[in-house]
Amino acid sequence: MTDTDRRRMLAGSVLDPAWVEAVRATAGPYLFVADAVLLYLEPDQVEQAITLIAANFPGSLLAFDTGGHVMAESVNRNDVMRDMQVRMTWVCEDPAALEHLGMRLLDSRIFAQPQPVLRARMPLRFRALSLLMGVLFRRRVRAYRLNLFRAQVGSGDG
């Protein structure tokens, strides 16, 4: 992906605080996206990463996925994943439980629950399928979620 005046990519670990100053040197607003990243970290590393962002970028947005025990076990048994050395190790059944890390949960959805604006733009067959999946997976809503958080102002020493 190429850098633009609105997006800049930095190589490094989300766990290494060295990237914080490089990001702080640019004007906000900030949106941090961790897609299929946190799920593979240890629980204490996930807390470290979220706290690092919350403490240093109050008011920023953080989007990331969470998964429950059932999902992690299923993925780790998958033929492709079974042959790899990486495993899903962090499980989060309830994204709201992460708010103590200095982030406020703004939205959390399963794939079968797209935002109303997005659902309205979907072809009729996908809207219908989305509704059906929402009913079928209602009991498993904690399996895999897409979440949006906002860092609380004053949440850290930043």
Side-chain angles (χ1 to χ4, degrees), residues 1-9:
M1 193 176 283
T2 305
D3 289 349
T4 70
D5 59 338
R6 294 184 50 163
R7 178 187 63 235
R8 182 171 168 214
M9 306 300 279

Side-chain angles (χ1 to χ4, degrees), residues 42-108:
E42 295 296 328
D44 61 321
Q45 293 175 317
V46 173
E47 288 194 14
Q48 177 187 345
I50 292 172
T51 302
L52 184 64
I53 292 169
N56 288 286
F57 301 95
S60 66
L61 294 172
L62 174 58
F64 60 93
D65 44 359
T66 55
H69 287 346
V70 171
M71 186 205 76
E73 290 170 8
S74 175
V75 168
N76 288 336
R77 282 191 313 260
N78 178 291
D79 290 342
V80 173
M81 294 300 289
R82 194 173 51 231
D83 294 336
M84 299 177 78
Q85 295 204 3
V86 67
R87 293 284 177 265
M88 283 192 174
T89 55
W90 178 59
V91 171
C92 178
E93 299 285 353
D94 180 11
L98 301 172
E99 289 188 334
H100 75 280
L101 300 174
M103 305 293 278
R104 183 170 48 94
L105 181 62
L106 302 177
D107 201 3
S108 182

